[in-house]
Amino acid sequence: MPIKKMMIVLVVGLLTACGTGSNSNDNSNGGESQNQIEYPKQNEIAANFFSSIETIEENNSIIVNYKVKNISGKQVKLTFPSGLQADFIVYDEEGKKVKQYSEEVMSTQAIKEVIIENNQEIQNSFTISDLYNGRFKLEAFLTAKEEQARVVIDLIVEKSLFTKISGVYVGQIDPHSIEVDIKGEKTAFQLKEEAINQLPSLKEGSEVTFVYSEKDSQKTIEKFSIQ
């Protein structure tokens, strides 16, 4: 199967702004400047981390490799509130959150301090297996108190088993299947457990949007997109 590979990099860090100007009171008592400008040292104007995301689409999944490199020129301590050092969020084309890694996994709650040496790189890998075909925004970041090193890329999914579509809800066939009118053609869909639980919120004759998969000509709705 062909592999689609995409990489984008982003340098993130804290920049110390500088400026000129003063606000002094000129009076008979010899006023002093009330807003002294403290100029940063040259070596303070530098990025601390170099962040990148690499994605590979294969076997109906998206492999995400998120890397953060310390380029500050010095040793940096990062404090993580749990065993989860990095997280990601996927947004759809409308900017709505589709999924977040930390909401789907369990992690230890012990606080952990990690020392990152200069030029040392830390890497976190994720596998996303249930995105439907389409365009998304993928944001990855550290969970550390001192630095998040956020990076965002455009993500295009083309080889997923899942498809998102809209149609008119005709009615329920049995407890595990419904009929949907898609562009004038009535189609039967089986329902996964999550979709069955959402069924009471649907109204016959209304438009519904859902994610479904197809195997051996059998279409199965994974879940409905409910506002």
Side-chain angles (χ1 to χ4, degrees):
M1 177 178 293
I3 296 177
K4 180 177 179 181
K5 190 171 184 179
M6 173 171 58
M7 184 171 183
I8 187 168
V9 296
L10 173 68
V11 175
V12 296
L14 300 177
L15 299 180
T16 306
C18 62
T20 59
S22 63
N23 182 15
S24 60
N25 295 323
D26 188 7
N27 52 44
S28 58
N29 294 326
E32 296 181 353
S33 174
Q34 301 299 310
N35 295 299
Q36 295 290 340
I37 304 298
E38 183 177 347
Y39 295 98
K41 297 178 181 179
Q42 184 62 35
N43 60 5
E44 291 178 340
I45 308 177
N48 291 325
F49 292 94
F50 181 89
S51 305
S52 66
I53 292 180
E54 179 185 56
T55 63
I56 303 173
E57 183 174 10
E58 60 181 7
N59 298 327
N60 301 308
S61 298
I62 304 294
I63 310 301
V64 179
N65 293 316
Y66 169 55
K67 301 177 182 180
V68 178
K69 185 176 183 179
N70 177 11
I71 58 172
S72 66
K74 59 185 178 181
Q75 189 182 77
V76 176
K77 182 185 75 173
L78 296 179
T79 306
F80 297 94
S82 70
L84 188 66
Q85 290 190 356
D87 198 359
F88 73 77
I89 303 176
V90 179
Y91 301 92
D92 64 16
E93 288 187 285
E94 297 178 351
K96 298 178 181 178
K97 184 171 72 174
V98 175
K99 66 189 295 99
Q100 182 167 355
Y101 182 67
S102 59
E103 295 177 350
E104 301 176 352
V105 297
M106 299 291 292
S107 63
T108 59
Q109 296 301 310
I111 296 176
K112 183 179 181 180
E113 292 184 349
V114 177
I115 300 299
I116 311 298
E117 301 292 340
N118 183 46
N119 288 324
Q120 182 181 352
E121 185 178 74
I122 56 177
Q123 177 176 336
N124 288 268
S125 296
F126 311 96
T127 300
I128 310 175
S129 58
D130 55 355
L131 283 182
Y132 53 85
N133 292 310
R135 302 179 67 92
F136 305 88
K137 290 284 186 183
L138 172 63
E139 176 184 27
F141 52 93
L142 296 178
T143 61
K145 176 182 177 181
E146 298 84 357
E147 176 64 59
Q148 291 190 315
R150 290 180 180 270
V151 60
V152 181
I153 66 168
D154 291 316
L155 176 63
I156 301 175
V157 181
E158 299 176 316
K159 302 180 179 66
S160 174
L161 292 173
F162 304 101
T163 302
K164 187 176 183 179
I165 197 171
S166 296
V168 176
Y169 175 39
V170 177
Q172 190 168 357
I173 299 174
D174 57 46
H176 303 285
S177 62
I178 64 171
E179 191 173 52
V180 180
D181 187 325
I182 300 175
K183 297 181 179 179
E185 182 178 346
K186 294 181 179 179
T187 305
F189 290 88
Q190 292 290 315
L191 301 174
K192 283 291 185 67
E193 183 177 352
E194 183 175 355
I196 291 175
N197 293 335
Q198 294 174 303
L199 203 56
S201 63
L202 305 182
K203 295 181 179 180
E204 294 185 3
S206 63
E207 183 174 353
V208 291
T209 301
F210 53 90
V211 175
Y212 77 95
S213 60
E214 183 172 359
K215 183 178 181 180
D216 298 330
S217 299
Q218 177 61 61
K219 297 179 173 63
T220 303
I221 295 177
E222 303 291 323
K223 61 181 178 180
F224 294 94
S225 298
I226 297 177
Q227 303 298 325

